Amino acid sequence: MIKTTEQVASADGTLIAYQRQGDGPVLIMVGGGLDDGSENGPLAAELADTFTVINYSRRGRGDSTDTAPYAVERELEDLAALAAEAGSDPVRLFGASSGGALALEAAAAGLAVDRVAVYEVPYLIGDEAVRSWREYVSEVTAIVADGRPDDALARFMKLAGMGEADIDGARTSPEWAASSALAHTLPYDAACLGDGSPPQRFEGLGVPVLVIIGDQGRELFEPAAVALTETLPNATRRDLAGQGHVADPATLADELRGFLAG
């Protein structure tokens, strides 16, 4: 969990916890599924030599509060509140996994952004993938509403390709409890990804966007990266050798620094 030093109130009164470090242009880091900001922490430290990095806990996670009902628009307001608190217009955004979809949604909605970088956004491409995605969204939403976070986490792992035996083994791991505590936010990430494919409105997003994947996840994330670079009018594609879904912070920082500082 982020050891927060500051909070800012979003438009609906939700308190968004964040950590600020470094000096330079403002870069807001958007975490993905089952993350309270911790995953981006080492990357934030790497980039603090170039940017004022705002690494935050999305609503319902870590020390951030939550307000029902959920809507993607509320998360966009959270980002706007963070940008206003940082006193920067425009800001840069980096989003990991489903956080990348949220970062792109913020830019498309009109947040003052001059550059966006995303890492392995898990859009689904193809009829079968979209069918599986819709089935997952329906099921995980119902499971969360029923108050069964462990089952929601297991359903997410199934979507990610894990078998039943591996999921059963994961239930006894030290990481299970922390992930289960965030499982109620899985429908939030699903909402950020919409119908599972890059929306056509991204065709009007003119800001420069860097689309990155690691070569270890090529089979899963290559179709999404191709679709994004074809949809976004000002996109650049980069592949990182030897990297999985959680990339080495120093390696990813080197790629981000050159693009986001431009």
Side-chain angles (χ1 to χ4, degrees), residues 90-93 103-104 106-117 202-211 231-236 259:
V91 298
R92 292 150 170 83
L93 298 178
L104 291 170
L111 182 69
V113 173
D114 60 3
R115 286 177 179 263
V116 181
F202 285 178
E203 293 176 354
L205 182 56
V207 301
V209 178
L210 179 62
V211 178
T231 301
L232 295 162
N234 196 6
T236 302
F259 173 78

Side-chain angles (χ1 to χ4, degrees), residues 1-8 15-20 36-37 55-57 61-64:
M1 181 183 298
I2 294 177
K3 296 187 182 300
T4 58
T5 56
E6 302 176 72
Q7 286 183 320
V8 63
L15 296 178
I16 303 301
Y18 67 97
Q19 190 173 54
R20 182 199 314 244
D36 61 2
N55 186 27
Y56 76 106
S57 297
R61 312 172 194 222
D63 289 337
S64 292

Side-chain angles (χ1 to χ4, degrees), residues 212-228:
I212 315 173
I213 65 171
D215 63 359
Q216 292 181 7
R218 186 178 303 280
E219 181 178 353
L220 182 59
F221 297 107
E222 170 82 9
V226 170
L228 269 177

